[in-house]
Amino acid sequence: MAGHLQAALRSSGKGATAAERFGILERPDLAYTPAVARETAPFYEKVRHFIPEIEWPVHAPYVHAINRLKKERNAVILAHNYQTPEIYNCVADIVGDSLQLARDATTVDAEIIVQCGVHFMAETSKLLNPQKTVLIPDGRAGCSLSESITGEDVRELKRRYPGVPVVTYVNTSADVKAETDICCTSANAVDVVESLASDTVLCIPDEYLAMNVARRTNKKILTWAGHCEVHERFTADELLAYKEADPSIEIVAHPECHPSVLDVSDFSGSTAGMINYVKTKRPARVLLVTECSMASNIQSEVKDVEFVKPCNLCPHMKRITLPKILDSLLFMTEEVTVDPAIAAPARLAVERMINLKA
Ligand code: 13P
Ligand code: SF4
């Protein structure tokens, strides 16, 4: 394989790193040449509302190199709806909410998955694709919900509430999923809870998601005090002030927000549900009560919609950048692995969710 610094050490032996199995590639020239400008021009059209023309020569060589390397590596990029516009629109092969990404991860043909999102998402892809190589461009991309609970915490809850089924949000580590009966996402949490025979259900670790689910089921919901650090910052008063200033504005909120926020919203759904609402309803002005990259990501597809943006960014999602994605593909870093003893029960919990017929 031309361009390899290291002769490809395709030792498929146990313990070989991804770099050893696939080899390391030389860093490409990142000049903004006329060819790069020409080939990346269609991508720029999708992000021109967000990236000033003068800045495009910084991004374009990365977009060009990443798209070329994906083919060379037989890699696919899965990106969450909160990734930056240049990732979402210019290098991602598959975009979506947590449920869509988990489902699509099961249908990927490529040998390598580069997960542009946070660590629990990459772990979920690995659980569903144990034979594939899963990379995350920055393994420090965590999540306040995932960090709020450990496997031992769930074992303690199970001791305290024997026989009560455990529904775990996908925003958790594999260790936590391994202690779980079934996973859920914000898109299917009510359906998952309703699918269980028990009258009482542990719905962890997102307290607000659990409170929002509890309002839509007759089951008793027990929860945990985990919160999303992005969504917990929104308040009903803040949103009412927007409504007062412009009564025509539509408010669309994510269910990780406090129930009082959903009370003053016109619609609530997962990130994919929110996008679908905007694309189909075409509100003249809308406020997406969620991570603020999402509005920028879809702006080019809904030019007639004006987004009002109280800009709450997720610092974990924002750890993923074009230069880090390029390094990931060049150096095959950072490889995501899951202890096989944990992977088996964790996979079962995710698969039960994916196979659930809503
Ligand atoms: P969804 O995309 O599944 O709605 O989740 C939002 C989220 O916070 C992921 O980190
Ligand atoms: Fe976690 Fe919230 Fe960031 Fe999503 S937005 S990754 S739930 S901290």
Side-chain angles (χ1 to χ4, degrees), residues 18-36:
E20 288 168 339
R21 297 197 304 279
F22 292 92
I24 290 172
L25 298 176
E26 255 172 59
R27 188 175 288 287
D29 180 11
L30 292 170
Y32 186 60
T33 62
V36 169

Side-chain angles (χ1 to χ4, degrees), residues 82 118 120 142-145 171 228-231 256 314 316-317:
Y82 292 163
V118 292
F120 75 78
C143 167
S144 63
L145 279 169
N171 298 37
C228 163
E229 67 187 84
V230 176
H231 292 96
E256 286 171 11
C314 172
H316 312 291
M317 289 279 178

Side-chain angles (χ1 to χ4, degrees), residues 54-350:
I54 196 166
E55 287 179 20
W56 185 239
V58 176
H59 300 289
Y62 285 98
V63 169
H64 190 256
I66 290 167
N67 284 327
R68 186 180 58 73
L69 269 173
K70 277 192 310 190
K71 290 194 193 120
E72 195 173 332
R73 288 292 204 188
N74 188 19
V76 71
I77 294 184
L78 264 55
H80 186 260
N81 291 327
Y82 292 163
Q83 290 294 290
T84 55
E86 65 276 14
I87 294 174
Y88 183 94
N89 287 287
C90 305
V91 299
D93 298 291
I94 296 171
V95 293
D97 67 4
S98 310
L99 183 61
Q100 290 171 325
L101 293 179
R103 283 200 174 124
D104 288 344
T106 63
T107 62
V108 160
D109 272 339
E111 248 179 312
I112 298 164
I113 294 174
V114 181
Q115 192 86 32
C116 293
V118 292
H119 194 264
F120 75 78
M121 294 177 175
E123 239 180 17
T124 304
S125 289
K126 182 64 184 176
L127 290 175
L128 297 168
N129 290 283
Q131 306 309 327
K132 292 191 197 299
T133 296
V134 177
L135 305 174
I136 182 161
D138 189 330
R140 296 169 303 167
C143 167
S144 63
L145 279 169
S146 180
E147 276 136 39
S148 74
I149 192 161
T150 64
E152 181 46 37
D153 291 330
V154 188
R155 284 190 285 278
E156 176 55 29
L157 282 172
K158 290 201 288 194
R159 282 192 286 271
R160 209 183 307 161
Y161 302 104
V164 174
V166 181
V167 174
T168 293
Y169 199 27
V170 283
N171 298 37
T172 47
S173 65
D175 202 24
V176 166
K177 289 185 176 83
E179 297 295 334
T180 296
D181 293 285
I182 182 168
C183 285
C184 75
T185 73
S186 60
N188 62 14
V190 175
D191 294 331
V192 169
V193 164
E194 287 287 316
S195 75
L196 299 166
S198 173
D199 287 343
T200 305
V201 174
L202 271 156
C203 193
I204 54 173
D206 186 341
E207 184 179 22
Y208 297 160
L209 178 71
M211 287 162 78
N212 288 319
V213 169
R215 293 165 141 208
R216 297 174 56 197
T217 177
N218 290 327
K219 293 182 192 288
K220 181 174 177 194
I221 303 293
L222 305 173
T223 188
W224 186 254
H227 299 133
C228 163
E229 67 187 84
V230 176
H231 292 96
E232 73 176 348
R233 279 156 51 199
F234 293 103
T235 65
D237 283 351
E238 171 194 10
L239 299 178
L240 285 171
Y242 282 103
K243 269 268 192 222
E244 220 168 278
D246 176 3
S248 75
I249 197 169
E250 292 203 28
I251 297 185
V252 176
H254 193 276
E256 286 171 11
C257 296
H258 191 273
S260 60
V261 167
L262 269 61
D263 283 344
V264 298
S265 301
D266 298 286
F267 174 79
S268 161
S270 74
T271 55
M274 296 170 83
I275 291 175
N276 187 44
Y277 181 92
V278 172
K279 285 187 180 171
T280 53
K281 269 210 88 194
R282 298 293 172 123
R285 292 187 91 202
V286 66
L287 194 161
L288 299 185
V289 190
T290 196
E291 215 272 0
C292 86
S293 285
M294 212 167 83
S296 311
N297 287 343
I298 58 167
Q299 180 72 84
S300 66
E301 293 176 77
V302 287
K303 293 199 174 78
D304 48 327
V305 176
E306 184 195 343
F307 290 96
V308 176
K309 292 195 225 169
C311 204
N312 286 0
L313 289 170
C314 172
H316 312 291
M317 289 279 178
K318 262 54 260 191
R319 280 193 184 273
I320 311 299
T321 61
L322 288 178
K324 289 184 193 168
I325 298 170
L326 178 65
D327 281 359
S328 204
L329 284 163
L330 291 174
F331 309 123
M332 300 302 292
T333 53
E334 301 175 21
E335 185 171 14
V336 177
T337 55
V338 185
D339 175 348
I342 288 171
R347 182 178 307 119
L348 205 63
V350 178

